Amino acid sequence: LKLLVVLADTVFFASLGREEGEATRVRIAYHAQGLQGLQAVRETVYIGGQKGKRQAWETLPLEAKSSITDFSVEALVKLAPAANLPGPAGVGLRGGGLPRTAVVVGPREGKLRIQGLARRVEYTEFHAEGEEDVFILHAPEPGHLVVSTQGREVFRYEQGAPVPPGRRVALHDLLFHEDSAVRAALMEMCATLVESLPKVQPLMGGNREWYVSNAVQGLIRRMAGLHHGGLIAFLPKQHDVERFRARGKYVLPPEQGSLLRQRLQRFVQARADLINGAWQAEAGKAAEEEEDPELKKAAAEHDDKVTESDFQALVESIGQFTAVDNALVLGPELEVLCAGYQIALPRSGPPQVFEARTLQGRPGPHYPIHQHGSRHRAAAVFANQHSGAIVFVASQDGPLRCLHRPPGKKKVLLWSLLLTED
């Protein structure tokens, strides 16, 4: 505990420093064996259907140098920009622009030392051997502190007070867990899209619902990663989407509104062709036609990478629209309707909002939505006016929330969210 206090204090006060006029965003990875400990962490991967292990952290050691590699506020402020490299901005398992690089800290000669830099190579949903011994301490904003281990947040301090972990739900759980009311609403509004996607072996590439949730997760992570604040609203099927197009400031032509859905379909089809071994089914025919089956496999791998890259680039571009004022609105089946949609606030003010106690949406105590600015109040109004809609709102200083009024219910529910610290 004393060790964590020292680590936390140093990271916190380093976050208050500035380097060349820029705020310091500090991120460290601590392991009791330092750099060598990180090098020993192994991640489970599947290659060609076989289970294997690979090194989870790519490390870059630094020679010990007095004052330069001593673990101190001053040393962290100087080195922090080198570890402020974000992860992929797309929609990988845990991508979305979250930082994956950290300053490595560990004991050496009886003292805490900066031992180098490390980058988490890739994330999967499988347990990584040795990851439980790695602590990530991150200051996403000045005066903020997040402590996580094994990809789960265990402590958060922001705006002068600790935030109880029990009041925050992982974005991943809200979008992917089968018990989530938000996931159920999302699948209902995207039912036709889900049915249009080919089936992929679940252990290898996720089920069809997984890809839809993953696309939405990518948009939300992009919004949160901009540190600008934003609002994304997803409309259920019973709404007149043309009315929203007419009132949006930035509107995609109707023929382009389905682009996100189309690229997702192409990507999942390519992933299915690769993982399900469609190229193997043609191997016999290929032999008769004197075609190389290995060439067909290479072509399938190429198509998978290209279609995923194209889809991720589009998710990133659409997510950028959250940086403009007002709401980014998507209709049923992930139809991109407009950005800059202004949500009118009634004179009576926003509706009552209740904190969701569970993923299923069990209402808890009244949530003081008035303590937030106009963006949160607009999100509450939108969720209340459009039963079944899902609204995600991000504050400029980091916090992320989801609002939803389930069909047939009168209460607007609010989930306070956390982004898994990769």
Side-chain angles (χ1 to χ4, degrees):
L1 182 59
K2 289 182 180 179
L3 174 64
L4 280 175
V5 169
V6 172
L7 293 168
D9 279 351
T10 307
V11 170
F12 177 83
F13 286 107
S15 78
L16 303 177
R18 300 183 73 86
E19 183 67 13
E20 297 185 1
E22 295 292 330
T24 306
R25 290 191 171 91
V26 188
R27 180 177 169 86
I28 70 168
Y30 172 82
H31 194 287
Q33 278 75 50
L35 210 66
Q36 289 184 343
L38 284 185
Q39 292 169 343
V41 177
R42 290 292 183 271
E43 183 178 55
T44 300
V45 293
Y46 279 86
I47 302 174
Q50 298 298 315
K51 185 177 179 180
K53 302 286 185 181
R54 67 178 169 197
Q55 188 169 314
W57 290 85
E58 182 181 86
T59 58
L60 186 66
L62 291 174
E63 286 190 357
K65 198 171 183 180
S66 180
S67 78
I68 302 299
T69 57
D70 292 341
F71 183 62
S72 66
V73 170
E74 294 77 13
L76 270 185
V77 169
K78 291 292 184 182
L79 190 57
N84 193 31
L85 177 68
V91 292
L93 285 174
R94 297 187 183 181
L98 287 179
R100 284 167 49 169
T101 309
V103 176
V104 181
V105 177
R108 182 180 287 166
E109 298 176 354
K111 293 184 179 181
L112 288 174
R113 307 283 187 183
I114 294 173
Q115 298 188 7
L117 300 177
R119 180 178 183 273
R120 189 62 161 80
V121 177
E122 189 175 341
Y123 299 95
T124 69
E125 293 303 312
F126 303 105
H127 172 71
E129 291 181 3
E131 195 98 80
E132 64 273 11
D133 298 321
V134 182
F135 285 88
I136 305 296
L137 290 87
H138 182 211
E141 300 290 341
H144 289 214
L145 179 68
V146 179
V147 182
S148 60
T149 182
Q150 293 183 278
R152 292 291 177 182
E153 183 178 304
V154 295
F155 176 80
R156 176 178 287 263
Y157 182 91
E158 58 185 37
Q159 298 178 342
V163 178
R167 287 171 47 192
R168 300 171 71 89
V169 175
L171 172 63
H172 184 274
D173 291 344
L174 194 72
L175 292 176
F176 291 87
H177 200 287
E178 291 186 355
D179 292 337
S180 169
V182 171
R183 178 188 180 275
L186 178 62
M187 293 307 129
E188 174 65 25
M189 66 180 63
C190 294
T192 303
L193 171 59
V194 170
E195 286 300 317
S196 73
L197 298 176
K199 294 183 179 180
V200 183
Q201 293 181 21
L203 283 178
M204 300 295 292
N207 57 32
R208 294 183 292 182
E209 292 85 357
W210 184 92
Y211 284 96
V212 174
S213 293
N214 204 35
V216 173
Q217 179 179 241
L219 291 169
I220 298 163
R221 284 180 178 272
R222 186 57 182 166
M223 174 177 68
L226 293 174
H227 297 286
H228 182 276
L231 192 156
I232 304 179
F234 296 86
L235 282 169
K237 291 184 177 181
Q238 64 268 28
H239 288 82
D240 180 9
V241 296
E242 294 305 324
R243 181 165 63 89
F244 290 89
R245 278 199 180 98
R247 292 181 55 186
K249 187 175 182 180
Y250 306 99
V251 183
L252 269 66
E255 64 273 12
Q256 295 296 317
S258 60
L259 188 59
L260 179 63
R261 178 171 69 248
Q262 292 170 0
R263 287 203 187 176
L264 176 61
Q265 290 169 329
R266 286 201 295 267
F267 163 46
V268 180
Q269 183 63 63
R271 178 60 53 86
D273 290 344
L274 175 64
I275 292 178
N276 295 343
W279 61 273
Q280 289 181 335
E282 299 294 328
K285 296 180 181 178
E288 295 177 4
E289 298 170 3
E290 298 183 355
E291 293 183 16
D292 186 353
E294 289 300 318
L295 182 60
K296 294 181 73 68
K297 178 183 177 182
E301 292 173 343
H302 173 76
D303 289 345
D304 176 65
K305 291 179 180 179
V306 170
T307 55
E308 181 179 18
S309 177
D310 288 346
F311 175 66
Q312 289 180 352
L314 182 61
V315 168
E316 182 177 356
S317 297
I318 294 171
Q320 288 286 138
F321 275 116
T322 60
V324 302
D325 290 338
N326 301 312
L328 168 65
V329 182
L330 283 81
E333 317 299 346
L334 298 186
E335 185 84 4
V336 182
L337 301 180
C338 65
Y341 178 86
Q342 186 171 5
I343 301 170
L345 299 178
R347 292 183 179 180
S348 59
Q352 282 195 326
V353 175
F354 297 85
E355 187 175 350
R357 284 300 197 189
T358 63
L359 284 174
Q360 295 93 331
R362 179 170 63 84
H366 174 258
Y367 184 88
I369 198 70
H370 290 87
Q371 71 179 340
H372 300 296
S374 59
R375 187 180 287 119
H376 279 74
R377 294 196 293 271
V381 168
F382 194 97
N384 186 56
Q385 291 178 343
H386 307 290
S387 174
I390 306 170
V391 187
F392 291 92
V393 58
S395 300
Q396 187 172 0
D397 58 355
L400 179 68
R401 298 175 180 90
C402 175
L403 294 97
H404 172 62
R405 180 166 72 87
K409 304 294 184 180
K410 294 182 178 180
K411 292 182 178 180
V412 176
L413 302 176
L414 180 144
W415 288 264
S416 294
L417 303 176
L418 60 91
L419 292 176
T420 305
E421 286 298 322
D422 292 335

mmCIF file of all heavy atoms in Angstrom, residues 316-353:
data_model
loop_
_atom_site.group_PDB
_atom_site.id
_atom_site.type_symbol
_atom_site.label_atom_id
_atom_site.label_comp_id
_atom_site.label_asym_id
_atom_site.label_seq_id
_atom_site.Cartn_x
_atom_site.Cartn_y
_atom_site.Cartn_z
ATOM 1 N N GLU A 316 -13.557 6.062 -37.310
ATOM 2 C CA GLU A 316 -12.800 7.197 -36.789
ATOM 3 C C GLU A 316 -13.304 8.509 -37.385
ATOM 4 O O GLU A 316 -13.490 9.503 -36.673
ATOM 5 C CB GLU A 316 -11.312 7.021 -37.100
ATOM 6 C CG GLU A 316 -10.438 8.132 -36.558
ATOM 7 C CD GLU A 316 -8.970 7.882 -36.829
ATOM 8 O OE1 GLU A 316 -8.636 6.819 -37.369
ATOM 9 O OE2 GLU A 316 -8.161 8.762 -36.482
ATOM 10 N N SER A 317 -13.552 8.526 -38.673
ATOM 11 C CA SER A 317 -14.014 9.751 -39.337
ATOM 12 C C SER A 317 -15.399 10.168 -38.832
ATOM 13 O O SER A 317 -15.643 11.350 -38.579
ATOM 14 C CB SER A 317 -14.060 9.549 -40.857
ATOM 15 O OG SER A 317 -12.767 9.300 -41.374
ATOM 16 N N ILE A 318 -16.292 9.205 -38.694
ATOM 17 C CA ILE A 318 -17.628 9.521 -38.191
ATOM 18 C C ILE A 318 -17.556 9.994 -36.744
ATOM 19 O O ILE A 318 -18.231 10.945 -36.343
ATOM 20 C CB ILE A 318 -18.557 8.295 -38.329
ATOM 21 C CG1 ILE A 318 -18.777 7.977 -39.805
ATOM 22 C CG2 ILE A 318 -19.898 8.546 -37.631
ATOM 23 C CD1 ILE A 318 -19.505 6.671 -40.044
ATOM 24 N N GLY A 319 -16.717 9.346 -35.956
ATOM 25 C CA GLY A 319 -16.551 9.759 -34.562
ATOM 26 C C GLY A 319 -16.038 11.174 -34.417
ATOM 27 O O GLY A 319 -16.326 11.859 -33.426
ATOM 28 N N GLN A 320 -15.285 11.644 -35.414
ATOM 29 C CA GLN A 320 -14.763 13.011 -35.374
ATOM 30 C C GLN A 320 -15.891 14.047 -35.354
ATOM 31 O O GLN A 320 -15.707 15.164 -34.870
ATOM 32 C CB GLN A 320 -13.865 13.259 -36.593
ATOM 33 C CG GLN A 320 -12.525 12.555 -36.556
ATOM 34 C CD GLN A 320 -11.555 13.197 -35.589
ATOM 35 O OE1 GLN A 320 -10.842 12.499 -34.865
ATOM 36 N NE2 GLN A 320 -11.518 14.513 -35.543
ATOM 37 N N PHE A 321 -17.064 13.700 -35.884
ATOM 38 C CA PHE A 321 -18.177 14.647 -35.917
ATOM 39 C C PHE A 321 -18.648 15.022 -34.514
ATOM 40 O O PHE A 321 -19.363 16.015 -34.351
ATOM 41 C CB PHE A 321 -19.350 14.058 -36.709
ATOM 42 C CG PHE A 321 -19.248 14.279 -38.192
ATOM 43 C CD1 PHE A 321 -19.128 13.211 -39.056
ATOM 44 C CD2 PHE A 321 -19.274 15.564 -38.730
ATOM 45 C CE1 PHE A 321 -19.035 13.406 -40.428
ATOM 46 C CE2 PHE A 321 -19.177 15.769 -40.091
ATOM 47 C CZ PHE A 321 -19.059 14.689 -40.949
ATOM 48 N N THR A 322 -18.281 14.238 -33.503
ATOM 49 C CA THR A 322 -18.685 14.591 -32.145
ATOM 50 C C THR A 322 -17.939 15.813 -31.624
ATOM 51 O O THR A 322 -18.314 16.379 -30.593
ATOM 52 C CB THR A 322 -18.450 13.417 -31.180
ATOM 53 O OG1 THR A 322 -17.052 13.079 -31.163
ATOM 54 C CG2 THR A 322 -19.256 12.196 -31.605
ATOM 55 N N ALA A 323 -16.897 16.225 -32.337
ATOM 56 C CA ALA A 323 -16.139 17.407 -31.913
ATOM 57 C C ALA A 323 -16.869 18.710 -32.245
ATOM 58 O O ALA A 323 -16.498 19.764 -31.739
ATOM 59 C CB ALA A 323 -14.749 17.411 -32.554
ATOM 60 N N VAL A 324 -17.896 18.659 -33.118
ATOM 61 C CA VAL A 324 -18.677 19.856 -33.409
ATOM 62 C C VAL A 324 -19.810 19.946 -32.397
ATOM 63 O O VAL A 324 -20.171 18.963 -31.745
ATOM 64 C CB VAL A 324 -19.237 19.840 -34.849
ATOM 65 C CG1 VAL A 324 -18.117 19.714 -35.854
ATOM 66 C CG2 VAL A 324 -20.250 18.720 -35.038
ATOM 67 N N ASP A 325 -20.387 21.117 -32.239
ATOM 68 C CA ASP A 325 -21.430 21.324 -31.243
ATOM 69 C C ASP A 325 -22.660 20.476 -31.541
ATOM 70 O O ASP A 325 -22.961 20.165 -32.694
ATOM 71 C CB ASP A 325 -21.818 22.799 -31.187
ATOM 72 C CG ASP A 325 -20.724 23.653 -30.582
ATOM 73 O OD1 ASP A 325 -19.890 23.094 -29.843
ATOM 74 O OD2 ASP A 325 -20.696 24.863 -30.847
ATOM 75 N N ASN A 326 -23.394 20.156 -30.462
ATOM 76 C CA ASN A 326 -24.654 19.410 -30.524
ATOM 77 C C ASN A 326 -24.418 17.924 -30.830
ATOM 78 O O ASN A 326 -23.305 17.435 -30.670
ATOM 79 C CB ASN A 326 -25.611 20.067 -31.516
ATOM 80 C CG ASN A 326 -25.917 21.512 -31.113
ATOM 81 O OD1 ASN A 326 -26.235 21.785 -29.957
ATOM 82 N ND2 ASN A 326 -25.802 22.440 -32.063
ATOM 83 N N ALA A 327 -25.444 17.221 -31.315
ATOM 84 C CA ALA A 327 -25.406 15.753 -31.317
ATOM 85 C C ALA A 327 -25.093 15.156 -32.682
ATOM 86 O O ALA A 327 -25.489 15.689 -33.711
ATOM 87 C CB ALA A 327 -26.747 15.203 -30.826
ATOM 88 N N LEU A 328 -24.384 14.027 -32.641
ATOM 89 C CA LEU A 328 -24.256 13.142 -33.790
ATOM 90 C C LEU A 328 -25.373 12.114 -33.665
ATOM 91 O O LEU A 328 -25.491 11.452 -32.626
ATOM 92 C CB LEU A 328 -22.892 12.450 -33.783
ATOM 93 C CG LEU A 328 -22.697 11.279 -34.754
ATOM 94 C CD1 LEU A 328 -22.763 11.760 -36.197
ATOM 95 C CD2 LEU A 328 -21.363 10.576 -34.485
ATOM 96 N N VAL A 329 -26.219 12.014 -34.689
ATOM 97 C CA VAL A 329 -27.393 11.142 -34.616
ATOM 98 C C VAL A 329 -27.265 10.004 -35.623
ATOM 99 O O VAL A 329 -27.017 10.242 -36.812
ATOM 100 C CB VAL A 329 -28.696 11.924 -34.885
ATOM 101 C CG1 VAL A 329 -29.910 10.994 -34.763
ATOM 102 C CG2 VAL A 329 -28.835 13.091 -33.913
ATOM 103 N N LEU A 330 -27.431 8.773 -35.128
ATOM 104 C CA LEU A 330 -27.480 7.592 -35.979
ATOM 105 C C LEU A 330 -28.853 6.957 -35.852
ATOM 106 O O LEU A 330 -29.425 6.896 -34.755
ATOM 107 C CB LEU A 330 -26.414 6.573 -35.603
ATOM 108 C CG LEU A 330 -24.982 6.880 -36.073
ATOM 109 C CD1 LEU A 330 -24.297 7.862 -35.150
ATOM 110 C CD2 LEU A 330 -24.155 5.612 -36.192
ATOM 111 N N GLY A 331 -29.376 6.509 -36.981
ATOM 112 C CA GLY A 331 -30.684 5.878 -36.992
ATOM 113 C C GLY A 331 -30.593 4.378 -36.852
ATOM 114 O O GLY A 331 -29.527 3.821 -36.558
ATOM 115 N N PRO A 332 -31.701 3.694 -37.067
ATOM 116 C CA PRO A 332 -31.700 2.225 -37.011
ATOM 117 C C PRO A 332 -30.705 1.637 -38.011
ATOM 118 O O PRO A 332 -30.409 2.246 -39.043
ATOM 119 C CB PRO A 332 -33.140 1.872 -37.388
ATOM 120 C CG PRO A 332 -33.935 3.105 -37.101
ATOM 121 C CD PRO A 332 -33.020 4.250 -37.369
ATOM 122 N N GLU A 333 -30.191 0.472 -37.691
ATOM 123 C CA GLU A 333 -29.238 -0.258 -38.552
ATOM 124 C C GLU A 333 -27.959 0.540 -38.785
ATOM 125 O O GLU A 333 -27.320 0.439 -39.827
ATOM 126 C CB GLU A 333 -29.883 -0.624 -39.900
ATOM 127 C CG GLU A 333 -31.302 -1.161 -39.821
ATOM 128 C CD GLU A 333 -31.430 -2.439 -39.025
ATOM 129 O OE1 GLU A 333 -30.423 -3.085 -38.739
ATOM 130 O OE2 GLU A 333 -32.588 -2.780 -38.691
ATOM 131 N N LEU A 334 -27.566 1.371 -37.806
ATOM 132 C CA LEU A 334 -26.346 2.188 -37.874
ATOM 133 C C LEU A 334 -26.360 3.163 -39.059
ATOM 134 O O LEU A 334 -25.324 3.459 -39.643
ATOM 135 C CB LEU A 334 -25.091 1.313 -37.926
ATOM 136 C CG LEU A 334 -24.837 0.411 -36.713
ATOM 137 C CD1 LEU A 334 -23.492 -0.283 -36.838
ATOM 138 C CD2 LEU A 334 -24.914 1.182 -35.407
ATOM 139 N N GLU A 335 -27.528 3.666 -39.404
ATOM 140 C CA GLU A 335 -27.643 4.678 -40.450
ATOM 141 C C GLU A 335 -27.114 6.002 -39.899
ATOM 142 O O GLU A 335 -27.562 6.482 -38.854
ATOM 143 C CB GLU A 335 -29.107 4.838 -40.869
ATOM 144 C CG GLU A 335 -29.332 5.776 -42.020
ATOM 145 C CD GLU A 335 -29.144 5.112 -43.375
ATOM 146 O OE1 GLU A 335 -28.910 3.881 -43.407
ATOM 147 O OE2 GLU A 335 -29.233 5.804 -44.392
ATOM 148 N N VAL A 336 -26.148 6.613 -40.579
ATOM 149 C CA VAL A 336 -25.586 7.889 -40.136
ATOM 150 C C VAL A 336 -26.482 9.005 -40.681
ATOM 151 O O VAL A 336 -26.547 9.224 -41.893
ATOM 152 C CB VAL A 336 -24.138 8.068 -40.621
ATOM 153 C CG1 VAL A 336 -23.569 9.383 -40.095
ATOM 154 C CG2 VAL A 336 -23.273 6.896 -40.159
ATOM 155 N N LEU A 337 -27.173 9.705 -39.800
ATOM 156 C CA LEU A 337 -28.150 10.700 -40.224
ATOM 157 C C LEU A 337 -27.565 12.099 -40.309
ATOM 158 O O LEU A 337 -27.632 12.754 -41.353
ATOM 159 C CB LEU A 337 -29.352 10.698 -39.274
ATOM 160 C CG LEU A 337 -30.098 9.366 -39.150
ATOM 161 C CD1 LEU A 337 -31.255 9.496 -38.175
ATOM 162 C CD2 LEU A 337 -30.588 8.904 -40.514
ATOM 163 N N CYS A 338 -26.998 12.590 -39.212
ATOM 164 C CA CYS A 338 -26.512 13.974 -39.222
ATOM 165 C C CYS A 338 -25.632 14.235 -38.013
ATOM 166 O O CYS A 338 -25.611 13.460 -37.048
ATOM 167 C CB CYS A 338 -27.697 14.952 -39.228
ATOM 168 S SG CYS A 338 -28.708 14.869 -37.725
ATOM 169 N N ALA A 339 -24.923 15.334 -38.070
ATOM 170 C CA ALA A 339 -24.163 15.855 -36.936
ATOM 171 C C ALA A 339 -24.599 17.307 -36.720
ATOM 172 O O ALA A 339 -25.172 17.931 -37.604
ATOM 173 C CB ALA A 339 -22.671 15.772 -37.198
ATOM 174 N N GLY A 340 -24.308 17.806 -35.528
ATOM 175 C CA GLY A 340 -24.730 19.170 -35.232
ATOM 176 C C GLY A 340 -26.221 19.289 -34.998
ATOM 177 O O GLY A 340 -26.804 20.359 -35.190
ATOM 178 N N TYR A 341 -26.860 18.198 -34.577
ATOM 179 C CA TYR A 341 -28.300 18.215 -34.329
ATOM 180 C C TYR A 341 -28.553 18.878 -32.975
ATOM 181 O O TYR A 341 -28.073 18.417 -31.937
ATOM 182 C CB TYR A 341 -28.858 16.798 -34.332
ATOM 183 C CG TYR A 341 -30.341 16.713 -34.033
ATOM 184 C CD1 TYR A 341 -31.272 16.861 -35.057
ATOM 185 C CD2 TYR A 341 -30.804 16.505 -32.740
ATOM 186 C CE1 TYR A 341 -32.634 16.779 -34.796
ATOM 187 C CE2 TYR A 341 -32.157 16.422 -32.466
ATOM 188 C CZ TYR A 341 -33.062 16.571 -33.499
ATOM 189 O OH TYR A 341 -34.408 16.506 -33.232
ATOM 190 N N GLN A 342 -29.301 19.956 -32.969
ATOM 191 C CA GLN A 342 -29.565 20.696 -31.736
ATOM 192 C C GLN A 342 -30.798 20.136 -31.033
ATOM 193 O O GLN A 342 -31.884 20.065 -31.615
ATOM 194 C CB GLN A 342 -29.773 22.180 -32.020
ATOM 195 C CG GLN A 342 -29.905 23.026 -30.759
ATOM 196 C CD GLN A 342 -29.899 24.512 -31.053
ATOM 197 O OE1 GLN A 342 -29.894 24.929 -32.203
ATOM 198 N NE2 GLN A 342 -29.880 25.322 -30.003
ATOM 199 N N ILE A 343 -30.615 19.755 -29.803
ATOM 200 C CA ILE A 343 -31.708 19.220 -28.987
ATOM 201 C C ILE A 343 -32.302 20.365 -28.183
ATOM 202 O O ILE A 343 -31.623 20.971 -27.341
ATOM 203 C CB ILE A 343 -31.195 18.108 -28.065
ATOM 204 C CG1 ILE A 343 -30.572 16.971 -28.894
ATOM 205 C CG2 ILE A 343 -32.318 17.568 -27.186
ATOM 206 C CD1 ILE A 343 -29.822 15.948 -28.073
ATOM 207 N N ALA A 344 -33.550 20.683 -28.462
ATOM 208 C CA ALA A 344 -34.210 21.790 -27.777
ATOM 209 C C ALA A 344 -34.499 21.424 -26.328
ATOM 210 O O ALA A 344 -35.050 20.355 -26.042
ATOM 211 C CB ALA A 344 -35.502 22.150 -28.507
ATOM 212 N N LEU A 345 -34.132 22.315 -25.410
ATOM 213 C CA LEU A 345 -34.386 22.091 -23.987
ATOM 214 C C LEU A 345 -35.704 22.745 -23.605
ATOM 215 O O LEU A 345 -35.912 23.940 -23.831
ATOM 216 C CB LEU A 345 -33.252 22.679 -23.145
ATOM 217 C CG LEU A 345 -31.854 22.093 -23.386
ATOM 218 C CD1 LEU A 345 -30.830 22.803 -22.514
ATOM 219 C CD2 LEU A 345 -31.840 20.603 -23.109
ATOM 220 N N PRO A 346 -36.629 21.997 -23.028
ATOM 221 C CA PRO A 346 -37.921 22.572 -22.634
ATOM 222 C C PRO A 346 -37.756 23.569 -21.498
ATOM 223 O O PRO A 346 -36.791 23.515 -20.726
ATOM 224 C CB PRO A 346 -38.731 21.348 -22.200
ATOM 225 C CG PRO A 346 -37.707 20.342 -21.798
ATOM 226 C CD PRO A 346 -36.527 20.573 -22.691
ATOM 227 N N ARG A 347 -38.704 24.483 -21.395
ATOM 228 C CA ARG A 347 -38.647 25.486 -20.334
ATOM 229 C C ARG A 347 -38.691 24.857 -18.951
ATOM 230 O O ARG A 347 -38.142 25.392 -17.982
ATOM 231 C CB ARG A 347 -39.808 26.460 -20.491
ATOM 232 C CG ARG A 347 -39.703 27.352 -21.726
ATOM 233 C CD ARG A 347 -40.857 28.344 -21.781
ATOM 234 N NE ARG A 347 -40.747 29.209 -22.947
ATOM 235 C CZ ARG A 347 -41.628 30.169 -23.243
ATOM 236 N NH1 ARG A 347 -42.681 30.370 -22.442
ATOM 237 N NH2 ARG A 347 -41.461 30.911 -24.321
ATOM 238 N N SER A 348 -39.361 23.737 -18.869
ATOM 239 C CA SER A 348 -39.466 23.056 -17.573
ATOM 240 C C SER A 348 -38.158 22.400 -17.145
ATOM 241 O O SER A 348 -38.050 21.908 -16.018
ATOM 242 C CB SER A 348 -40.567 21.994 -17.635
ATOM 243 O OG SER A 348 -40.285 21.044 -18.666
ATOM 244 N N GLY A 349 -37.182 22.405 -18.050
ATOM 245 C CA GLY A 349 -35.904 21.798 -17.735
ATOM 246 C C GLY A 349 -35.862 20.324 -18.084
ATOM 247 O O GLY A 349 -36.843 19.759 -18.591
ATOM 248 N N PRO A 350 -34.750 19.661 -17.822
ATOM 249 C CA PRO A 350 -34.622 18.241 -18.175
ATOM 250 C C PRO A 350 -35.497 17.377 -17.277
ATOM 251 O O PRO A 350 -35.918 17.798 -16.189
ATOM 252 C CB PRO A 350 -33.138 17.959 -17.928
ATOM 253 C CG PRO A 350 -32.743 18.947 -16.880
ATOM 254 C CD PRO A 350 -33.542 20.189 -17.165
ATOM 255 N N PRO A 351 -35.791 16.162 -17.719
ATOM 256 C CA PRO A 351 -36.595 15.246 -16.904
ATOM 257 C C PRO A 351 -35.800 14.709 -15.725
ATOM 258 O O PRO A 351 -34.581 14.881 -15.645
ATOM 259 C CB PRO A 351 -36.942 14.133 -17.886
ATOM 260 C CG PRO A 351 -35.763 14.096 -18.801
ATOM 261 C CD PRO A 351 -35.354 15.535 -18.969
ATOM 262 N N GLN A 352 -36.482 14.044 -14.831
ATOM 263 C CA GLN A 352 -35.783 13.367 -13.748
ATOM 264 C C GLN A 352 -34.992 12.194 -14.316
ATOM 265 O O GLN A 352 -35.456 11.484 -15.213
ATOM 266 C CB GLN A 352 -36.776 12.860 -12.706
ATOM 267 C CG GLN A 352 -37.287 13.937 -11.764
ATOM 268 C CD GLN A 352 -37.957 13.338 -10.538
ATOM 269 O OE1 GLN A 352 -38.582 12.290 -10.615
ATOM 270 N NE2 GLN A 352 -37.825 14.007 -9.410
ATOM 271 N N VAL A 353 -33.818 12.009 -13.780
ATOM 272 C CA VAL A 353 -32.937 10.936 -14.226
ATOM 273 C C VAL A 353 -32.593 10.088 -13.004
ATOM 274 O O VAL A 353 -32.390 10.615 -11.906
ATOM 275 C CB VAL A 353 -31.658 11.509 -14.872
ATOM 276 C CG1 VAL A 353 -30.682 10.386 -15.227
ATOM 277 C CG2 VAL A 353 -32.014 12.317 -16.121
#
